[in-house]
Amino acid sequence: QVQANVIIKGAAASTPTTSGSAVPTMTADQVSDLTQYNAILVGGPCANSHTAKIMGASSAWPDCATGFTAGEAMLELKANGSKWALIVAGYSADDTRRAAIALKSYSVDGAGKPIFLTGTSKTVKGTSLEVSAIDVV
């Protein structure tokens, strides 16, 4: 079972604490060895070098867009050494935003597990940023 406390914040926000310990929140350029962390990687290989590395993909355009389709995004759990990385990525910025909205707005099943993560990968589809217009399959 994998559990995480997730905090999404902008660059100007302060680091919150939970149970008396600091929750590390870093940008991609602040992390030299990603395998030291359980991570949520936001942005595809074109936008996030750590995503490219975890996916084994190029970070150079147009190769970095291989496997991505306009109007779709992914939520994918991948091994990261002895840790885990959750990739939240889409073809475009809005596709990635839809995946982040789906992640933020998840529902849980009777056992308390996120419905959309019954497995290691889900596709997020939609044409707007409204929760009601986002499908997770």
Side-chain angles (χ1 to χ4, degrees):
Q1 182 178 4
V2 177
Q3 295 181 337
N5 289 328
V6 178
I7 298 167
I8 300 172
K9 67 178 192 171
S14 63
T15 301
T17 60
T18 51
S19 303
S21 61
V23 178
T25 305
M26 296 175 267
T27 60
D29 61 344
Q30 293 173 311
V31 179
S32 58
D33 182 7
L34 187 65
T35 62
Q36 293 181 19
Y37 306 97
N38 288 313
I40 298 175
L41 304 175
V42 179
C46 298
N48 187 328
S49 61
H50 292 298
T51 301
K53 185 174 181 178
I54 290 283
M55 292 181 69
S58 171
S59 60
W61 181 261
D63 297 333
C64 59
T66 300
F68 287 89
T69 303
E72 293 185 5
M74 66 188 306
L75 294 169
E76 187 169 341
L77 192 59
K78 303 238 331 140
N80 177 32
S82 64
K83 306 287 186 175
W84 292 94
L86 176 61
I87 297 172
V88 182
Y91 180 81
S92 70
D94 276 348
D95 294 333
T96 299
R97 285 184 188 100
R98 268 188 284 284
I101 290 167
L103 180 62
K104 179 182 87 166
S105 306
Y106 73 88
S107 296
V108 294
D109 64 15
K113 294 181 182 177
I115 291 171
F116 66 82
L117 277 182
T118 53
T120 58
S121 180
K122 293 296 179 183
T123 300
V124 179
K125 298 180 180 186
T127 55
S128 85
L129 298 176
E130 297 297 319
V131 172
S132 61
I134 298 173
D135 292 321
V136 180
V137 292

